[in-house]
Amino acid sequence: MSEKPVKIPGPDHPITIEDTHAHVTVSVAGKVIADTREALSLKEASYPAVLYIPRKNVDMSALKRTDHATYCPYKGDCSYYSIAAGGERSVNAVWTYENPHPSVSRIKDYMAFYPDRVDAIRVEA
């Protein structure tokens, strides 16, 4: 089995991670699944910025880990969770890099949500 490639962010593929200093909530089926003022905003190359929420501010009892997994050469192995309350729409709605590459180590113990698989991701100053 060959080793997975590891790429370092740089001028051709920049990745920045910043504190948001905003109040971020994620809701599904009328229930708040995540609520934090400690979210990080990860901006990768030309992709839209993604909010990563500390795992400690996510209602883990509402999530169910799935067997789905992906790999990003810039960030590492990615694990997924579904949100039962959201039904089929919320399958693999949440992702996390449990052991991210050193260049993005700040997202360890953080989770991100697909906006189209939850009811709302609200960001308030």
Side-chain angles (χ1 to χ4, degrees):
M1 190 167 140
S2 63
E3 293 242 345
K4 294 176 183 170
V6 175
K7 295 184 178 179
I8 306 298
D12 59 326
H13 193 99
I15 296 178
T16 57
I17 301 171
E18 299 176 345
D19 296 317
T20 62
H21 302 293
H23 183 206
V24 179
T25 57
V26 179
S27 58
V28 175
K31 182 171 190 259
V32 173
I33 302 294
D35 187 339
T36 189
R37 289 193 173 277
E38 299 174 47
L40 298 175
S41 175
L42 183 145
K43 178 81 175 95
E44 179 174 359
S46 61
Y47 300 109
V50 173
L51 292 174
Y52 280 80
I53 296 172
R55 187 180 289 245
K56 67 182 182 183
N57 298 138
V58 176
D59 179 0
M60 295 302 293
S61 69
L63 307 185
K64 183 175 188 324
R65 191 180 185 101
T66 71
D67 292 334
H68 186 62
T70 58
Y71 178 76
C72 170
Y74 292 96
K75 296 189 288 292
D77 290 306
C78 189
S79 302
Y80 292 79
Y81 289 80
S82 293
I83 305 168
E88 283 298 310
R89 179 173 155 238
S90 296
V91 170
N92 295 321
V94 187
W95 75 91
T96 184
Y97 292 91
E98 293 170 337
N99 293 294
H101 293 327
S103 60
V104 294
S105 62
R106 283 191 72 195
I107 63 171
K108 181 176 175 54
D109 298 324
Y110 282 72
M111 308 184 97
F113 294 78
Y114 284 108
D116 61 340
R117 298 184 191 180
V118 298
D119 293 343
I121 298 176
R122 289 195 175 76
V123 181
E124 301 168 2

